[in-house]
Amino acid sequence: MSDWMPYPWQLGQWQQILQVERDGKLPHALLVSGEPGIGKHVFLQGLAARLLCRADGDYPCGECKSCLLFAAGSHPDFQQVSPQDSRHIKVDQIRTVIDQLSQTAQLGGRRLVLITPAEAMNTASANALLKCLEEPGRDTVLLLASHAPHRLLPTIRSRCQQLNMIKPDYQTADQWLSLSVSNADERRQLLALASDNPLLALAYHQADVATLFRHSLDSLQALASGAADIAVLAEQAQKHAGGKTTAEKAAQMLLWLQIHQRLLWRMIRQSMTGAGDDEVSAFVALTGREGFARRAWRQLELLQGAQAEVQGSSNPNLSLLAESVLINWQRLLRS
């Protein structure tokens, strides 16, 4: 058995695709979408290995020439396209793929391309791929993974068979995460932050998000007391997030924003229900004020807009974006 096994919550959809393939109805392009952290990339990597495998099992055998080349990252008929030195997939990358697809498969089977995340393609690269989707060639399969399929060109979506990956229920996600995180309370916190997406929760565990969470909570308390310098807090957020490449810095900023959104949701719930919440208990007097929830909803919209900006193609100034978020937090907390 190979290492390219689908996760437990993916088994049903895996079998559906295998049945389609065995019926001779495999599409030339498959778009798998879903929330971050549920294993779309691993699923499609495993599917690519299975479609190239010389055996006819449910999973890649891991032993044939094709599987060995795939494991070594040197399979001549498989290409993987993702952002390189920026947050975008550029047109030259897609053109290189198209040129290679015009050649005969070296192992005499299928030719596969995995593009992830598909929404990282800019306009030029998306249009280049569209031409390939219109004339894919025989025994060519394009696999696309996307967190945000609505950001793809409608003409690309319409030329792909679409599969919306199912998110596991909490029990399944918690059981899988327990293999790496033994503390039940930590798993609960990680899954809450990751919206029950288990791989994202594991990534948060590995990135020591608990420390970032505490730092964010301390920053909000400082803002509420008036003892904070917003420019300093924004700089601290940047230093704590780290990241070397533009894409890494954007990912860390997105995480910082998600943590702040979670804290705000907790405050809103405390304000509307009066229920105690350990994570935001220090703000109970503030959330109990009249009109707090209404003002907090405005801050929520700003946080969601900031996340969309980070995930978009505009390459925002992350320092200024962090300062803007903190300024609005200060207005909410001291109003």
Side-chain angles (χ1 to χ4, degrees):
M1 186 66 67
S2 77
D3 294 331
W4 303 296
M5 287 285 293
Y7 293 109
W9 56 90
Q10 298 174 334
L11 291 174
Q13 293 181 310
W14 177 274
Q15 290 296 333
Q16 289 175 11
I17 294 178
L18 287 191
Q19 189 58 53
V20 169
E21 188 261 342
R22 286 167 176 161
D23 291 341
K25 298 179 181 179
L26 186 70
H28 69 272
L30 176 66
L31 170 60
V32 175
S33 59
E35 297 179 25
I38 57 176
K40 298 184 297 297
H41 181 264
V42 171
F43 181 89
L44 287 177
Q45 268 201 321
L47 180 61
R50 163 60 182 77
L51 294 176
L52 291 168
C53 179
R54 296 303 181 89
D56 190 28
D58 283 355
Y59 309 103
C61 70
E63 299 176 355
C64 68
K65 180 179 180 180
S66 179
C67 284
L68 293 175
L69 287 170
F70 195 95
S74 56
H75 198 296
D77 301 320
F78 174 70
Q79 301 174 71
Q80 184 166 302
V81 184
S82 58
Q84 293 178 340
D85 56 351
S86 70
R87 293 164 52 202
H88 307 293
I89 295 173
K90 299 180 179 178
V91 66
D92 288 344
Q93 294 175 262
I94 299 299
R95 286 173 179 165
T96 298
V97 166
I98 294 173
D99 289 342
Q100 294 180 351
L101 289 178
S102 65
Q103 302 172 16
T104 304
Q106 293 188 36
L107 296 189
R110 294 186 175 99
R111 295 164 301 175
L112 282 98
V113 177
L114 171 57
I115 301 175
T116 177
E119 65 269 17
M121 290 186 291
N122 58 28
T123 302
S125 56
N127 284 324
L129 180 68
L130 185 58
K131 296 178 182 179
C132 185
L133 287 170
E134 291 171 346
E135 300 177 5
R138 184 179 178 181
D139 293 326
T140 297
V141 181
L142 301 175
L143 304 173
L144 289 75
S146 176
H147 306 318
H150 62 278
R151 289 169 51 193
L152 295 171
L153 293 177
T155 44
I156 287 182
R157 295 199 304 269
S158 66
R159 286 166 172 78
C160 298
Q161 181 170 317
Q162 298 188 44
L163 174 68
N164 183 35
M165 183 155 287
I166 299 171
K167 182 170 71 172
D169 57 38
Y170 179 85
Q171 183 177 359
T172 301
D174 182 66
Q175 184 177 6
W176 180 85
L177 188 61
S178 68
L179 299 175
S180 303
V181 183
S182 59
N183 186 288
D185 289 337
E186 184 181 0
R187 292 199 305 273
R188 177 188 57 78
Q189 186 180 60
L190 289 168
L191 286 169
L193 181 60
S195 301
D196 293 343
N197 293 320
L199 272 73
L200 188 58
L202 179 59
Y204 287 172
H205 169 70
Q206 295 168 340
D208 190 19
V209 168
T211 299
L212 180 57
F213 186 88
R214 288 193 297 271
H215 177 269
S216 298
L217 191 58
D218 290 343
S219 297
L220 296 187
Q221 290 175 329
L223 287 171
S225 67
D229 184 313
I230 287 178
V232 171
L233 288 180
E235 183 179 357
Q236 289 175 348
Q238 289 282 289
K239 288 181 178 179
H240 186 88
K244 296 180 180 179
T245 68
T246 301
E248 289 174 344
K249 291 177 180 178
Q252 291 293 336
M253 175 54 65
L254 183 62
L255 174 58
W256 184 80
L257 291 168
Q258 290 169 339
I259 288 173
H260 279 249
Q261 180 171 310
R262 182 192 176 189
L263 286 167
L264 183 59
W265 269 118
R266 295 276 184 166
M267 291 181 189
I268 291 174
R269 188 178 69 174
Q270 183 171 267
S271 173
M272 297 181 70
T273 66
D277 191 314
D278 292 341
E279 291 180 344
V280 293
S281 59
F283 301 95
V284 64
L286 173 68
T287 58
R289 294 177 187 171
E290 183 179 355
F292 174 84
R294 173 176 49 80
R295 294 190 297 273
W297 281 108
R298 296 175 185 170
Q299 172 69 347
L300 181 63
E301 291 177 355
L302 291 169
L303 281 169
Q304 291 172 335
Q307 291 177 60
E309 193 174 351
V310 170
Q311 292 176 299
S313 58
S314 59
N315 291 321
N317 184 310
L318 299 182
S319 295
L320 292 179
L321 187 145
E323 286 188 23
S324 176
V325 168
L326 291 168
I327 287 171
N328 284 291
W329 262 120
Q330 187 177 60
R331 289 172 180 167
L332 173 65
L333 297 174
R334 294 183 61 79
S335 60

